[in-house]
Amino acid sequence: MVKKPLLLFPFPISAEKSKKQGFPGKMFIPTKTQQIQRNELKITELDRVLSNRSASLQKEAGNIIPEMILVLETAGEIKDFFKAVKKTPGMEFLAEYETEFEAEDDFYNIDKNGNRSEENVDARFYLTMTNQRALKELQKYWREYKKDKEKQNFKRGTAKFRSLFEQLKDIRPYNVSDRVRDTGIEKYIQERKLYDFDFVRFEIELAFKGSDQANRKAYEEVTRLLNLHNGEEVKGSRTIISEISYHAFIARAPIQVFDDLTENTNISFLKSQQILFFRPVGQMVFETPEDIEQLKKLPNVEENDELPTDGHPVIALFDGLPLANHSLLENRLQIDDPDGFSSNYTGNQRFHGTAMASLIIHGDLDNEKKSILKRPLYVRPIMKLDTQLYQGECLPDDVLPIDLVHRAVLRMKVGDADNPPVAPEVKIINFSIGDAFRPFLNNMSSWAKLLDWLSYQYDILFVISAGNFSDDIALEIPDDEFDNLSDDEVQKLALEEIVRTNFNRKILAPAESINSITVGAAHFDFSKPNNLYQRKNLIKSSSLLSPISRIGFGFRRSIKPEIITSGGRKLFRKSPIQNLPGKTVLKLESIPFNVNPPGNRSAFPGSPGQINKSGYLCGTSNAAALTSRLAAQLYDVLISINNSGDKSIPSDFLTVIIKSLLVHSASWSKSSDFLLQLIKDLPGSAANTSKKNVLPYLGYGGIDPERILYCTEKRVTIIGFGKLYDGQAHLYRFPLPPSLTKGRIDKKLTITLAYNSPLNFKTRQYRKAQLFFDNLKHNNHLELDRSYYDFRTTQLGTVQHDILIGDKADVFVDGDFLEIKVNCREDASELGKLSIKYGLSVTLEVKENNDIKIYEEIRQRVQTRIRPTL
């Protein structure tokens, strides 16, 4: 097979933006009379509630700010409600959160036939910081709402409150339960009680205010209340990142303060109206082995006689500290440790960072086609050793991870403390880290918001692991029948169990980040195990997800993870005690790594003094690292294009092009048909939603690096890039090769669009910009069908990917082309005049079982004029 270079599109033609079709749902809401009956007392009593709450706290600590976080729960959404809040004196908009509730007589959805639907009703929580003046204004709006509509007189910009009252399901003060809901703090506290902790550290996120003075007063109020209960701030932990409306610090308090997490608690700081959330700190744990003898059994690596590194780093690893003098890593790492995490980090405990660095630089060591990256890898340690509870590597509990990552990126890209940036050319950050206490349910974590903002602000791409799921698996078959099952039968039972327990397997924060690429683990590696002994391999297919890989959806039901790639084959053992009648309980191999295959083989630290050991590791961390490795290879491919001719790609477009190419080779395999059928057969599953419901498990599918690093005579990839403003569109023309008109030919068209969006943190829409390409299924020249994906769902994130196939005898003339239109529209409000950079990848290919060669035909027809500077 002759390898051919990727091609570049000529500069696109400006075009009129395509109109998107809306699909508005209908909802039944109460009459005005019913709403008045429901909410009159709640609204008129709010100022009294505020006075009583403030007076209660004043008795314990003076100078309490007379404010209250107000929860406005609505059925459905009120677009841009934050603008009406901004017009209300004394009221500050804090957040919009998505939720849902069961259909009831006052609120329910109406189906397409006009009948009541029993589906859950989409709902919103709007949080506002409210004082006495604001409550008076709110009550004034309420009095206007109660009037006949023609007599209402809402002042300019506040009419959204009329919609609020029409859709209002509940209005109440924010409470203790709200501050701990979906944060993982309760599980975190219980875990530490099992280890007899007397004191516990935790994050307190405060309601972010519009001024430094207001933020300072809120912080001082909370610390005073904290001190009353023998608590204190961990010095130096307070963090304000105004760009994402984040204000938090780490606190330390007796563990008993969390015994009662209701409004009846006598712990006053739990009820402070300045606090949004309590969260765990110091997560992401990789347990290191206590038995040094086990390390001695690790296999040696082959001699490393590769050429030295060359160039600047383009990939960064935010992880644990690697063993820098390992024979596979020596002189290949640029380690930057300004926090001094290495001070207590002995060499034989540097596991996770060593493995990730090895996978990025060398790939899976058992892959016979492996090669070494020539560029150095920039490493910023953000984990250190924990010696109290886990005996392993974890995020520190004396600094907020958001603060740590924020400082790390600023130091890398723009510099800090009058120092220049330490790695300004970095485009990709590998982030094989997640918060086990924060699976993604509906609402964005502050951590994900930070990564999204950093991505757009500094033109970088985070490659994030989806997270691992390590619970036992209980298969629906009696124990005495399990050993006689075929591999296909075991796989079917395992997949059914994964689907059945999907709610517990959600991706871990910050993997919901919309501007990042999230990677799940495929059940595949290059090792060749001789004997599995009593270990059980549950997944037969190498293109299906690993049984330990977590699943999506992402934010606003976008596709997460976007891709899956090799994460190693993690095996199970039958539990020695089978106590579930009619089921077979299988336990995950508990050790974090194995001496013997299967798994991805990477460099590992050995016992003290050993620098040439390797081992086998499984999980989504591996998959993310291997994806980052591919990103580095793609960077060099793009640089080679720049060096080979008169057409060039400006540096500030490389990130979005790489993002597009990382997803471009993804597809579902024949094995995915089984998962698709399994989901179709679920009770209550609609046939027209089955493709959409497979997306959380596979994303766009497994990737094949060979398909995006080069073209062949039968496969041609053309790259486009540009920047768009709201309401604009770019039109690309993909030339059609005349040889396709010779008869029935199997062909496949793949289109991938990627971009980073600015964010509006005030609204649930969140993504200020949406870029999308038009549906190519109904083009004028090729008759194509969509075998994969749900086209609408592919447009919900920041990567749109589509695959169309056909085998008809197409009729067109030389000079015809496919038109691919890239559109830009405002999604969340306040996009304004911001420009959005994008990368576009388009591949046309024919099957190998014919003599058609299309590369030269297409290359000759691609316009060759030099692209103007963008």
Side-chain angles (χ1 to χ4, degrees), residues 595-629:
V595 173
N596 300 309
N600 301 119
R601 187 161 72 98
S602 69
F604 268 1
S607 55
Q610 294 180 323
I611 58 170
N612 64 341
K613 293 294 183 179
S614 65
Y616 292 91
L617 188 68
C618 297
T620 59
S621 288
N622 300 8
L626 292 171
T627 302
S628 295
R629 169 182 171 78

Side-chain angles (χ1 to χ4, degrees), residues 37 44 51 72 106 223 434 523 568 665 680 762 810:
Q37 292 173 346
T44 56
S51 297
L72 306 164
D106 285 345
T223 52
H523 195 65
S665 69
K680 279 183 179 179
K762 296 289 187 183
D810 298 304

Side-chain angles (χ1 to χ4, degrees), residues 308-309 324-334 374 376-377:
T309 58
N325 65 340
H326 192 285
S327 63
L328 293 183
L329 304 181
E330 190 172 13
N331 299 322
R332 300 196 173 279
L333 307 178
Q334 182 181 319
K374 295 296 192 297
L377 175 66

Side-chain angles (χ1 to χ4, degrees), residues 95 121 136 268 357 428 610 631 651 659 676 688 706 715 796 835:
V121 178
K136 295 296 183 186
S268 54
I428 311 294
Q610 294 180 323
S651 175
K659 183 175 180 178
L676 182 64
N688 62 345
E706 296 294 310
R715 186 184 71 240
L796 298 178
S835 64

Side-chain angles (χ1 to χ4, degrees), residues 735-736 738 812-817 861:
L736 292 173
F812 55 86
V813 298
D814 193 3
D816 282 344
F817 46 78
R861 287 162 177 77

Side-chain angles (χ1 to χ4, degrees), residues 252-500:
R252 180 179 180 272
I255 199 166
Q256 291 80 9
V257 301
F258 289 99
D259 285 349
D260 183 0
L261 291 175
T262 71
E263 287 299 299
N264 296 322
T265 180
N266 59 4
I267 307 299
S268 54
F269 79 81
L270 294 179
K271 296 188 284 187
S272 170
Q273 287 296 300
Q274 306 303 325
I275 296 177
L276 275 180
F277 298 111
F278 298 103
R279 295 196 186 96
V281 292
Q283 300 312 303
M284 168 57 196
V285 180
F286 185 87
E287 296 182 29
T288 56
E290 299 178 8
D291 183 6
I292 296 296
E293 292 301 314
Q294 189 178 10
L295 300 179
K296 294 180 180 179
K297 300 176 184 177
L298 290 170
N300 293 336
V301 298
E302 54 272 19
E303 289 296 320
N304 178 28
D305 56 358
E306 296 282 351
L307 295 174
T309 58
D310 180 46
H312 53 259
V314 295
I315 307 294
L317 173 65
F318 286 10
D319 209 279
L321 183 69
L323 183 64
N325 65 340
H326 192 285
S327 63
L328 293 183
L329 304 181
E330 190 172 13
N331 299 322
R332 300 196 173 279
L333 307 178
Q334 182 181 319
I335 296 178
D336 184 25
D337 184 24
D339 298 298
F341 287 174
S342 61
S343 59
N344 70 334
Y345 225 138
T346 59
N348 63 308
Q349 295 171 311
R350 301 180 185 182
F351 271 86
H352 203 266
T354 299
M356 296 305 106
S358 173
L359 288 170
I360 292 171
I361 294 171
H362 295 275
D364 189 330
L365 296 178
D366 281 341
N367 183 358
E368 295 178 356
K369 295 182 180 180
K370 66 180 181 295
S371 61
I372 190 167
L373 297 184
K374 295 296 192 297
R375 296 180 183 274
L377 175 66
Y378 174 82
V379 180
R380 173 65 184 261
I382 62 170
M383 291 200 294
K384 61 182 184 180
L385 289 181
D386 174 84
T387 56
Q388 289 188 341
L389 179 57
Y390 296 112
Q391 299 298 319
E393 299 172 281
C394 65
L395 293 169
D397 65 357
D398 58 352
V399 60
L400 289 166
I402 289 178
D403 177 38
L404 185 57
V405 173
H406 183 229
R407 288 189 288 107
V409 171
L410 293 184
R411 176 180 171 86
M412 186 180 73
K413 297 294 287 185
V414 299
D416 60 356
D418 298 323
N419 295 315
V422 294
E425 302 296 329
V426 162
K427 298 291 185 184
I428 311 294
I429 299 177
N430 188 88
F431 208 75
S432 293
I433 287 176
D435 185 349
F437 288 101
R438 187 69 193 272
F440 175 70
L441 299 177
N442 290 306
N443 299 302
M444 296 289 287
S445 65
S446 297
W447 206 355
K449 290 178 183 178
L450 174 73
L451 301 193
D452 282 335
W453 176 74
L454 291 171
S455 298
Y456 180 79
Q457 188 71 19
Y458 297 108
D459 187 32
I460 51 181
L461 173 64
F462 286 90
V463 176
I464 308 178
S465 57
N468 297 332
F469 183 80
S470 57
D471 288 5
D472 297 346
I473 284 185
L475 302 184
E476 298 286 338
I477 190 169
D479 169 40
D480 56 356
E481 298 179 22
F482 173 75
D483 291 328
N484 297 322
L485 295 178
S486 67
D487 290 345
D488 286 336
E489 290 170 326
V490 170
Q491 178 173 277
K492 179 177 183 295
L493 288 170
L495 290 175
E496 287 175 346
E497 176 64 10
I498 289 170
V499 172
R500 188 183 67 81

Side-chain angles (χ1 to χ4, degrees), residues 798-843:
T798 58
V799 180
Q800 183 183 0
H801 180 65
D802 200 13
I803 298 176
L804 299 164
I805 60 175
D807 62 357
K808 301 292 191 299
D810 298 304
V811 179
F812 55 86
V813 298
D814 193 3
D816 282 344
F817 46 78
L818 291 177
E819 287 192 341
I820 301 159
K821 186 191 284 188
V822 178
N823 305 271
C824 178
R825 64 180 287 271
E826 184 179 74
D827 192 5
S829 58
E830 300 185 347
L831 176 59
K833 298 298 183 180
L834 293 175
S835 64
I836 311 300
K837 291 178 293 209
Y838 67 85
L840 176 71
S841 303
V842 184
T843 295

